[in-house]
């Protein structure tokens, strides 16, 4: 049985190590028995090492990375450093980084390629804004983000990428995309991958949905929407609700 992938993106939370440890422990002690899901926790960088010491079935991911190996890049974190801390996944191109830090498709592409070289699975995020949607530009915007993000990535590597469709208007808004609408996008993503690579590859890749996922709606994205997993922000900070979400898939 293929496991549903649940990625917890803690973003810039909680505010200290003690709270991070409590949050992780609460979730880990219950989730060690969950068989249907693979849970990946992506805490802020400073908490990676405390969580690394206690991994069980839960995997560790980072929220960003830099594409160079080492050198004069103040403030950046390399993939070797993340690997050393036990990261198996890395979120790349989250809309908050695109929005607040001017991260471009070109940077996203470099980061994805660098992660693939280091054998850390990239979670490639993309999505349209409310304005794009209202102007009927969703598919054009997504096509551009996908094509640019996947530039010069070969067939054997594209299968290792986890695709995360996250409409900006659904993130943190409490108003998720409907599973039907999300499924249309999922099929559109597969079409782009088929055109660029092949149908078997499009059938193999993992596509996740993210944006206001909670314990009541998670099942609809997995079952009606046919997504292979979800990316969870806000709810991943509430242990009881997050455990319920994982159990409800
Ligand atoms: P949300 O965030 O679950 O709080 O909407 C999702 C995300 O930004 O990855």
């Amino acid at each position: 049985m293929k496991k549903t992938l649940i990625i917890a993106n803690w973003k810039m939370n909680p505010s200290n190590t003690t709270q991070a440890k409590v949050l992780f422990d609460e979730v880990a002690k219950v989730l060690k028995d969950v068989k249907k899901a693979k849970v990946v926790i992506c805490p802020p960088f400073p908490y990676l090492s405390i969580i690394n010491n206690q991994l069980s079935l839960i995997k560790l991911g980072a929220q960003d990375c830099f594409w160079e190996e080492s050198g004069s890049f103040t403030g950046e974190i390399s993939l070797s450093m993340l690997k050393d801390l036990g990261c198996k996944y890395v979120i790349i191109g989250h809309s908050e980084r695109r929005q607040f830090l001017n991260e471009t498709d070109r940077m996203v592409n470099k980061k994805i390629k660098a992660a693939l070289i280091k054998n850390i699975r990239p979670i490639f995020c993309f999505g349209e804004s409310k304005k794009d949607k209202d102007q009927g530009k969703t598919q054009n915007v997504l096509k551009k983000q996908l094509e640019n993000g996947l530039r010069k990535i070969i067939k054997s590597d594209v299968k290792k990428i986890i695709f995360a469709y996250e409409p900006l208007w659904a993130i943190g808004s409490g108003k998720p995309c409907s599973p039907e609408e999300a499924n249309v996008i999922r099929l559109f993503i597969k079409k782009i991958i088929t055109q660029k690579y092949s149908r078997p590859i499009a059938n193999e890749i993992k596509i996740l949905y993210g944006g206001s996922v909670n314990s009541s709606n998670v099942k609809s994205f997995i079952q009606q929407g046919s997504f292979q997993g979800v990316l969870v922000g806000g709810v991943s900070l509430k242990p009881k609700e997050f455990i319920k979400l994982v159990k409800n898939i």
Side-chain angles (χ1 to χ4, degrees):
M1 186 186 69
K2 282 236 164 98
K3 290 191 176 186
T4 301
L5 195 54
I6 300 185
I7 317 269
N9 177 9
W10 285 4
K11 308 193 180 184
M12 202 170 69
N13 303 290
S15 46
N16 61 54
T17 312
T18 312
Q19 286 173 13
K21 210 171 152 347
V22 169
L23 175 57
F24 178 78
D25 287 348
E26 258 190 75
V27 170
K29 71 173 185 260
V30 179
L31 295 188
K32 65 179 182 345
D33 300 325
V34 172
K35 306 232 159 33
K36 280 200 307 191
K38 183 189 266 184
V39 177
V40 179
I41 293 194
C42 303
F45 294 127
Y47 307 147
L48 285 170
S49 61
I50 33 162
I51 290 178
N52 181 22
N53 293 333
Q54 317 172 47
L55 289 178
S56 49
L57 282 181
I58 294 181
K59 302 284 177 226
L60 193 60
Q63 296 175 16
D64 183 38
C65 61
F66 193 56
W67 55 82
E68 294 291 346
E69 257 298 285
S70 62
S72 306
F73 304 102
T74 303
E76 293 300 336
I77 311 271
S78 77
L79 284 142
S80 303
M81 294 171 191
L82 296 180
K83 199 166 185 147
D84 185 47
L85 289 172
C87 289
K88 301 266 186 280
Y89 297 82
V90 58
I91 296 174
I92 296 178
H94 191 280
S95 62
E96 286 150 14
R97 295 198 58 82
R98 294 180 188 256
Q99 194 183 341
F100 302 120
L101 293 142
N102 291 332
E103 198 157 298
T104 62
D105 285 348
R106 195 158 165 265
M107 290 157 79
V108 169
N109 175 247
K110 284 180 162 194
K111 292 181 180 191
I112 295 176
K113 286 195 279 203
L116 289 166
I117 289 170
K118 282 280 168 234
N119 230 354
I120 296 187
R121 289 192 77 171
I123 302 161
F124 171 22
C125 299
F126 50 89
E128 81 286 3
S129 67
K130 172 90 171 62
K131 191 168 162 219
D132 298 330
K133 182 174 157 67
D134 291 346
Q135 293 178 347
K137 292 185 183 158
T138 298
Q139 297 204 349
N140 281 346
V141 168
L142 298 182
K143 185 167 190 275
K144 189 164 159 280
Q145 288 178 348
L146 281 165
E147 286 180 349
N148 291 342
L150 295 173
R151 258 191 93 226
K152 297 201 175 153
I153 291 177
I154 57 171
K155 273 188 186 178
S156 55
D157 275 345
V158 77
K159 290 188 263 185
K160 299 177 198 152
I161 300 174
I162 294 157
F163 292 79
Y165 169 55
E166 296 208 295
L168 271 62
W169 45 271
I171 295 178
S173 65
K175 295 190 186 104
C177 187
S178 73
E180 296 76 20
E181 203 181 330
N183 194 30
V184 171
I185 301 294
R186 192 185 62 84
L187 295 172
F188 176 70
I189 297 164
K190 286 183 72 164
K191 188 173 136 198
I192 304 277
I193 301 299
T194 303
Q195 282 165 357
K196 191 169 161 64
Y197 297 96
S198 69
R199 186 170 295 277
I201 288 184
N203 287 337
E204 227 182 292
I205 57 163
K206 281 196 188 325
I207 308 180
L208 315 186
Y209 167 79
S212 295
V213 176
N214 59 37
S215 62
S216 326
N217 63 26
V218 65
K219 209 175 194 143
S220 63
F221 291 105
I222 308 299
Q223 298 195 347
Q224 278 156 264
S226 305
F227 283 88
Q228 281 85 26
V230 286
L231 217 156
V232 186
V235 167
S236 72
L237 297 168
K238 300 177 191 146
K240 285 199 180 69
E241 176 70 2
F242 183 65
I243 290 165
K244 209 163 139 199
L245 183 154
V246 176
K247 290 189 167 172
N248 274 357
I249 53 172

